[in-house]
Amino acid sequence: MNEKLIKYFGVPKEAYSYMDVMLSKEEINLIEKIQDKKYTYEELINLIEKNFNLSSEEFLKSCYKRGVINKEKSNEQIVYKSSNIYTRLAYFAQYEVDLWKSIPEEDRIKLDKWYVEKYAQGAIPRLEEIKKKTRKLIENAYFYTIHETLELIDTVNHELYIVPCNCKSISLRCDKPKNVCILFEKSINSEWDRGWGKPITKAEAKEIIIMANKNGLMHTSEAEQAICNCDGCCCYPIRASQIIGAKGIWPQRRYDIVWDKKKCINCGICSKICNFNAFNKVNKTVSFDENKCWGCTICNDHCPVNAITLKKIKDNHE
Ligand code: SF4
Ligand code: SF4
Ligand code: SF4
């Protein structure tokens, strides 16, 4: 395996065999040349022109779009540096679906496990900062009800765009809708700045949220970058939260579920919609295990007889 690539692109052993699938020869050469240095746009164009028989501007644009290089703000100017496999893997799985699926499932599972563990470890300091109040928010900070999510769309003062969900694209653990990640973040290294995403209207965003809810996806947001529609099996924030024991804190639970057993007609809809098996149907009888509930609220939207209601608890998100 290419030692420089491992070092400068942060490649874990789980990905060694697939670097030539995820990166072109020229991209690998560029990472070897950039190493840990930073370049202005002009410097990087010069480097590409000297070393590659390629249209330098197009190549640079493509490397940035594919998550091979990143931008960084330095002394009020933008500089370029190598990205890493962690970033590249998400774009690869999101936008080169067939190639990602061509990797044997057992190796994809290993990469998914590596990814979620890395994500979980990276989240620990961010959560600590929130506890110390030196940081305001973490991504996917809160669970929102569908009504709150639709209201949130009305209050967003940015243009919205839609991208495929990177968690579901990498994990491929379910067949729930993937085109449900509503973003408004457009700064450097965002999907938008790299050249991805389709602009959507607020009405279209609301349709996506309603469709996601019908399909059992939970609404999470920190109200500043994205509105996510997540599942329990693929979603990295939720899986990372499980790994680091942050259930209830991240995404923050804001409602308790009150189940009126007498009203319940044992239809089992809630047991199908719940991502955590908190509602369970066995032998035609439904039961509710409060300990498994994350307070996502979506079961409340689906009960046909209003046997599930919401009780607001601690809410420090306003
Ligand atoms: S946080 Fe949720 S919607 Fe966003 S990418 Fe992950 S699963 Fe998809
Ligand atoms: S039981 Fe809890 S986790 Fe399951 S859908 Fe209802 S609120 Fe969400
Ligand atoms: S959806 Fe409502 S009525 Fe149906 S099983 Fe669940 S709680 Fe009971």
Side-chain angles (χ1 to χ4, degrees):
M1 184 62 201
N2 181 330
E3 294 300 324
K4 278 190 189 162
L5 186 63
I6 293 173
K7 180 172 173 189
Y8 295 112
F9 212 58
V11 183
K13 61 179 182 331
E14 291 86 345
Y16 284 1
S17 310
Y18 303 108
M19 292 320 296
D20 57 350
V21 185
M22 292 191 213
L23 297 168
S24 69
K25 265 187 207 146
E26 291 81 7
E27 287 169 341
I28 292 173
N29 285 344
L30 183 67
I31 295 161
E32 287 168 4
K33 297 229 175 319
I34 293 179
Q35 300 193 358
D36 53 4
K37 294 190 281 290
K38 294 171 188 174
Y39 292 83
T40 63
Y41 182 81
E42 291 73 24
E43 286 167 347
L44 195 49
I45 288 288
N46 282 341
L47 183 133
I48 295 167
E49 278 173 0
K50 249 197 219 161
N51 294 282
F52 301 92
N53 190 17
L54 289 166
S55 158
S56 51
E57 288 191 6
E58 283 304 307
F59 181 51
L60 199 156
K61 195 173 159 193
S62 155
C63 287
Y64 180 56
K65 184 168 187 176
R66 284 161 52 81
V68 176
I69 56 172
N70 283 341
K71 290 181 184 174
E72 188 180 291
K73 235 184 189 163
S74 171
N75 299 327
E76 296 306 308
Q77 68 169 342
I78 300 290
V79 291
Y80 290 79
K81 59 181 192 176
S82 272
S83 175
N84 49 58
I85 186 66
Y86 182 80
T87 302
R88 171 66 191 135
L89 175 58
Y91 286 106
F92 178 66
Q94 270 171 291
Y95 298 106
E96 291 165 78
V97 179
D98 291 341
L99 268 182
W100 174 229
K101 286 185 179 169
S102 75
I103 292 178
E105 192 181 3
E106 60 186 273
D107 289 345
R108 270 193 277 117
I109 291 170
K110 284 182 195 160
L111 275 163
D112 169 60
K113 191 164 175 278
W114 166 79
Y115 195 95
V116 72
E117 278 166 7
K118 192 168 172 64
Y119 181 63
Q121 293 316 312
I124 292 172
R126 294 205 296 285
L127 284 168
E128 283 299 317
E129 284 169 31
I130 288 170
K131 258 194 224 160
K132 288 186 208 146
K133 299 195 188 304
T134 52
R135 181 190 191 93
K136 205 172 135 220
L137 283 168
I138 187 165
E139 63 275 13
N140 308 83
Y142 306 104
F143 279 120
Y144 284 88
T145 67
I146 185 163
H147 304 291
E148 290 167 340
T149 314
L150 297 174
E151 277 172 18
L152 195 56
I153 292 287
D154 285 327
T155 63
V156 170
N157 284 325
H158 306 279
E159 283 170 336
L160 304 171
Y161 63 100
I162 182 95
V163 297
C165 161
N166 62 353
C167 309
K168 298 183 197 88
S169 300
I170 300 175
S171 297
L172 295 173
R173 290 178 171 203
C174 67
D175 55 7
K176 289 192 176 164
K178 289 190 183 60
N179 226 19
V180 290
C181 212
I182 301 166
L183 304 183
F184 26 103
E185 166 70 54
K186 291 190 171 178
S187 60
I188 56 167
N189 301 319
S190 65
E191 297 212 26
W192 183 263
D193 195 53
R194 289 188 195 270
W196 301 108
K198 180 179 157 248
I200 51 169
T201 62
K202 289 192 171 188
E204 286 168 329
K206 288 181 181 179
E207 277 171 27
I208 292 164
I209 289 159
I210 292 165
M211 176 277 291
N213 185 282
K214 277 192 184 138
N215 283 278
L217 296 176
M218 305 173 281
H219 319 295
T220 68
S221 180
E222 71 303 291
E224 290 195 351
Q225 294 185 355
I227 293 173
C228 277
N229 294 290
C230 312
D231 61 7
C233 54
C234 301
C235 175
Y236 288 118
I238 285 171
R239 290 164 64 200
S241 177
Q242 272 164 336
I243 291 172
I244 61 180
K247 176 178 173 234
I249 298 166
W250 176 47
Q252 190 181 106
R253 175 192 188 107
R254 297 168 49 246
Y255 292 91
D256 275 339
I257 293 303
V258 180
W259 180 46
D260 188 340
K261 202 174 170 180
K262 287 191 206 116
K263 271 194 186 172
C264 174
I265 55 169
N266 291 300
C267 68
I269 293 173
C270 53
S271 65
K272 288 190 189 122
I273 216 82
C274 179
N275 284 272
F276 306 105
N277 298 319
F279 278 104
N280 200 13
K281 184 173 179 177
V282 180
N283 296 334
K284 299 186 179 169
T285 304
V286 167
S287 60
F288 173 55
D289 182 346
E290 208 175 316
N291 292 325
K292 290 186 178 169
C293 173
W294 283 61
C296 77
T297 77
I298 60 165
C299 53
N300 166 253
D301 308 319
H302 292 263
C303 179
V305 294
N306 211 19
I308 303 169
T309 48
L310 305 179
K311 188 173 150 210
K312 197 150 189 180
I313 50 174
K314 171 175 134 189
D315 193 352
N316 61 9
H317 90 299
E318 278 97 356

